[in-house]
């Protein structure tokens, strides 16, 4: 292991032609040369059976992915115990607002948000709230919060659901009025109810919380009984895609249904168990199977037949895929195993894409910063790296370490990871599990470098892609949830390698 003062690694130079090492898919299945070049991308047919895309991005594409890989993991976490304690305190302060059980998304200023969206992020989002309450329960191994401190927060969250939001799929709530957001917003958002069900099921398991099972069943029935699994939905970023088949939405639906089926089985409710298993199989199916692009990378938009809006916005390559892999739970399959070849190719493609997109990634530090998608405009043209997505990448790499410790990666997966991180990946550290931990530490060390001393360990939403300073939505609750989640997963990984 390395001391925390280990030197940073040098970034690689950047190519300016179509001759790039890691090709990032720029098209959709069926795109032709004219359509590809019209998008400003490169066209190069490859032999049958090759995983490389025919249509791929050019210009400023890195000759390597500029992921600075540390030679070994750190002795101590990239964020020390003092920093973790402060982040945990800031995180908890955003939960159970005024003892209502609501979760505020961020109390900070939101300069990236248009002026016609009053109130900033000072609302309860169904998605953010559910993920944050789940994170509160999942990170007690590093926050120091015992179950006695967590339980009242969770119980009041369940009461908020019961008394305020139950029976509604409204994504955004006014906390003081305990009412739906009164202005225009991107609706519907079909990931909210299944995520809320997952948080309620976790509360039920940890604390046998009164009402949690009945409330979770209502959300599970919302998925199982209706046509929401094929409804055209806003995506996780609350942007219209006119797409009924978004990977994130289907992954969390399947995870909730399978988790609900297991809960029903534990209660001897065979009818509910069968209903949720049937819906998972017939309505949601395998969410990963039709989201693998020709280059072998996973995509938020379906590989075939995606909506024009999904294609135009370039959301095939989207940081939400990393979040889906981390939060897949029961919906994970062999394809979504964190140490699999598909994940290696996905991480490789995303490394190349975000190295190209963000100048800050080419400044010679360990790790890399991920953002939303390449045509993002929130926070400036091309968008910025996001703290929560980058933290989720670290989490994914720690999960890969745990997976590789349980079962050695296949030859195909080993080759794919070496194509992503270099020919010596898994050898210099003595094993693949240790290499994955070093990769995760590289990412967290990168994030640590962008949390300035004057930030006092407060986390924002974004990191300026040129300046490297944090930006927008100070104390974003979800940023803390993902950061603490990554640090908790690091501890799990170190225990098994």
């Amino acid at each position: 292991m390395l001391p925390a003062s280990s030197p940073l690694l040098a970034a690689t130079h950047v190519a300016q032609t179509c001759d790039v090492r890691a090709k990032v898919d720029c098209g959709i299945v069926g795109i032709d040369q004219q359509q590809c070049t019209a998008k400003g991308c490169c066209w190069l047919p490859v032999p049958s059976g090759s995983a490389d895309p025919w249509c791929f991005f050019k210009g400023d594409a890195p000759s390597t992915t500029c992921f600075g890989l540390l030679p070994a993991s750190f002795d101590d976490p990239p964020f020390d115990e003092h920093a973790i304690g402060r982040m945990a305190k800031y995180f908890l302060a955003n939960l159970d607002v005024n003892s209502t059980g609501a979760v505020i998304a961020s109390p900070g200023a939101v300069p990236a948000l248009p002026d016609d969206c009053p109130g900033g992020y000072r609302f309860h989002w169904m998605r953010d709230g559910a993920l944050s309450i789940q994170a509160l329960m999942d990170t007690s191994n590093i926050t120091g919060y015992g179950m006695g401190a967590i339980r009242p927060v969770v119980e009041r969250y369940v009461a908020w659901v019961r008394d305020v939001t139950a029976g509604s799929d409204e994504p955004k709530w006014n906390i003081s009025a305990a009412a739906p957001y009164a202005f225009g917003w991107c609706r519907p958002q079909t990931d909210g109810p299944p995520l809320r069900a997952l948080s309620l099921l976790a509360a039920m398991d940890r604390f046998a919380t009164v009402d949690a099972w009945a409330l979770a069943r209502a959300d599970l029935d919302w998925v199982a009984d209706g046509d929401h699994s094929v409804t055209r939905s806003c995506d996780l970023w609350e942007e219209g895609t006119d797409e009924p088949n978004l990977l994130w939405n289907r992954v969390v639906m399947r995870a909730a249904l399978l988790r609900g089926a297991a809960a029903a089985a534990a209660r001897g409710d065979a009818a509910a168990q069968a209903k949720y298993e049937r819906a998972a199989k017939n309505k949601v199916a395998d969410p990963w199977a039709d989201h693998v692009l020709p280059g072998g990378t996973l995509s938020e938009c379906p590989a075939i037949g995606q909506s024009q809006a999904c294609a135009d916005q370039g959301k095939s390559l989207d940081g939400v895929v990393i979040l889906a892999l981390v939060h897949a739970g029961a919906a994970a399959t062999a394809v979504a195993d964190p140490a699999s070849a598909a994940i290696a190719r996905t991480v490789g493609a995303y490394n190349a894409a975000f190295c190209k997109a963000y100048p800050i990634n080419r400044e010679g530090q360990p790790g890399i910063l991920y953002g939303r998608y390449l045509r993002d405009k929130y926070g400036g043209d091309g968008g910025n790296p996001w703290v929560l997505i980058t933290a989720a990448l670290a989490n994914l790499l720690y999960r890969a370490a745990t997976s590789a410790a349980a079962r050695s990666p296949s030859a195909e997966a080993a080759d794919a990871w070496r194509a992503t991180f270099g020919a010596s990946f898994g050898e210099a550290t003595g094993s693949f599990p240790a290499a994955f931990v070093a990769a995760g530490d590289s990412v967290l060390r990168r994030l640590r470098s962008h949390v300035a001393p004057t930030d006092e360990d407060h986390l924002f939403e974004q990191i300026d892609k040129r300046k490297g300073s944090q930006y927008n939505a100070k104390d974003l609750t979800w940023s803390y949830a993902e950061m603490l989640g990554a640090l908790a997963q690091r501890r799990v990984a170190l225990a098994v390698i």
Side-chain angles (χ1 to χ4, degrees):
M1 290 190 172
L2 301 173
S5 59
S6 292
L8 306 184
L9 302 184
T12 55
H13 70 280
V14 175
Q16 299 293 323
T17 71
C18 288
D19 184 16
V20 295
R21 177 183 175 186
K23 296 178 181 177
V24 181
D25 203 324
C26 184
I28 59 174
V29 172
I31 194 170
D32 60 27
Q33 182 174 3
Q34 183 178 0
Q35 292 169 325
C36 176
T37 55
K39 294 174 67 176
C41 295
C42 302
W43 178 266
L44 181 64
V46 296
S48 176
S50 171
D52 284 345
W54 287 33
C55 182
F56 55 94
F57 286 98
K58 69 176 180 180
D60 291 341
S63 58
T64 72
T65 64
C66 77
F67 185 110
L69 183 63
L70 292 166
S73 59
F74 288 118
D75 294 328
D76 299 309
F79 286 81
D80 63 20
E81 294 302 317
H82 178 64
I84 292 172
R86 292 211 286 193
M87 290 189 295
K89 181 181 73 172
Y90 304 147
F91 177 51
L92 190 62
N94 286 356
L95 311 181
D96 191 23
V97 178
N98 296 326
S99 298
T100 61
V103 176
I104 190 170
S106 167
V110 189
L113 199 64
D115 293 337
D116 59 355
C117 296
Y121 288 3
R122 295 185 294 276
F123 298 91
H124 173 99
W125 267 266
M126 192 190 313
R127 174 194 307 109
D128 299 40
L131 289 166
S132 297
I133 291 296
Q134 181 78 55
L136 177 67
M137 292 183 277
D138 289 345
T139 60
S140 60
N141 67 331
I142 53 108
T143 61
Y145 293 135
M147 290 299 108
I150 293 172
R151 180 170 191 148
V153 176
V154 174
E155 288 182 340
R156 283 192 285 269
Y157 165 76
V158 174
W160 164 269
V161 173
R162 181 194 64 219
D163 299 337
V164 179
T165 71
S168 174
D169 59 4
E170 169 62 32
K172 183 177 177 181
W173 292 78
N174 184 309
I175 295 174
S176 60
Y181 183 67
F183 300 94
W185 205 249
C186 194
R187 301 179 179 94
Q189 298 182 27
T190 59
D191 61 336
L195 286 168
R196 185 170 58 189
L198 285 166
S199 67
L200 292 165
L201 291 168
M204 179 185 67
D205 284 348
R206 301 288 179 92
F207 306 115
T209 309
V210 175
D211 298 326
W213 174 235
L215 293 167
R217 282 207 59 176
D219 284 334
L220 294 168
D221 289 343
W222 182 91
V223 178
D225 292 339
D227 60 357
H228 301 102
S229 62
V230 294
T231 297
R232 297 181 186 277
S233 172
C234 301
D235 66 2
L236 181 147
W237 310 124
E238 300 184 305
E239 296 174 343
T241 62
D242 196 33
E243 178 58 65
N245 186 6
L246 295 168
L247 178 67
W248 166 262
N249 298 51
R250 284 181 59 200
V251 163
V252 298
M253 285 183 183
R254 183 173 175 82
L257 288 168
L258 293 178
R259 180 67 191 82
R267 283 156 182 75
D269 190 339
Q273 176 189 357
K275 175 181 180 178
Y276 300 146
E277 288 176 344
R278 186 167 55 250
K281 178 181 179 180
N282 297 331
K283 290 199 169 187
V284 183
D286 180 355
W288 312 97
D290 54 354
H291 284 77
V292 181
L293 295 173
T297 62
L298 294 172
S299 167
E300 165 71 338
C301 304
I304 298 175
Q306 63 183 242
S307 70
Q308 191 61 50
C310 232
D312 290 345
Q313 294 175 54
K315 292 195 175 187
S316 288
L317 193 151
D318 191 317
V320 71
V321 171
I322 306 301
L323 292 162
L325 291 164
V326 167
H327 295 284
T333 65
V335 169
D337 182 298
S340 71
I343 307 310
R345 295 186 186 108
T346 299
V347 171
Y350 281 43
N351 286 350
F354 290 119
C355 183
K356 167 185 179 292
Y358 306 142
I360 195 69
N361 273 333
R362 303 192 291 272
E363 293 192 352
Q365 296 191 52
I368 197 165
L369 301 171
Y370 278 14
R372 302 201 302 176
Y373 53 97
L374 298 182
R375 297 174 192 163
D376 192 5
K377 297 187 182 301
Y378 188 53
D381 190 42
N384 286 307
W386 278 48
V387 173
L388 70 92
I389 302 172
T390 306
L393 171 64
N395 190 325
L396 178 63
L397 292 167
Y398 295 136
R399 288 171 184 267
T402 304
S403 174
R407 183 179 59 258
S408 296
S410 67
E412 179 191 12
D415 288 345
W417 282 110
R418 287 170 179 146
T420 293
F421 285 131
S424 65
F425 187 74
E427 296 175 358
T429 56
S431 71
F432 270 99
F436 283 124
V437 173
D441 278 5
S442 300
V443 175
L444 287 191
R445 176 62 183 82
R446 182 59 185 266
L447 281 171
R448 169 79 272 186
S449 73
H450 293 288
V451 181
T454 53
D455 291 337
E456 298 183 325
D457 297 312
H458 289 275
L459 299 181
F460 291 60
E461 178 183 70
Q462 303 175 35
I463 296 169
D464 188 286
K465 66 184 171 214
R466 293 184 177 85
K467 299 176 182 177
S469 54
Q470 291 198 89
Y471 168 71
N472 205 56
K474 180 180 179 181
D475 289 323
L476 186 75
T477 310
W478 196 356
S479 289
Y480 292 120
E482 295 298 339
M483 183 70 78
L484 294 170
L487 289 161
Q489 192 62 40
R490 181 183 191 271
R491 183 167 292 186
V492 172
L494 288 175
V496 300
I497 66 171

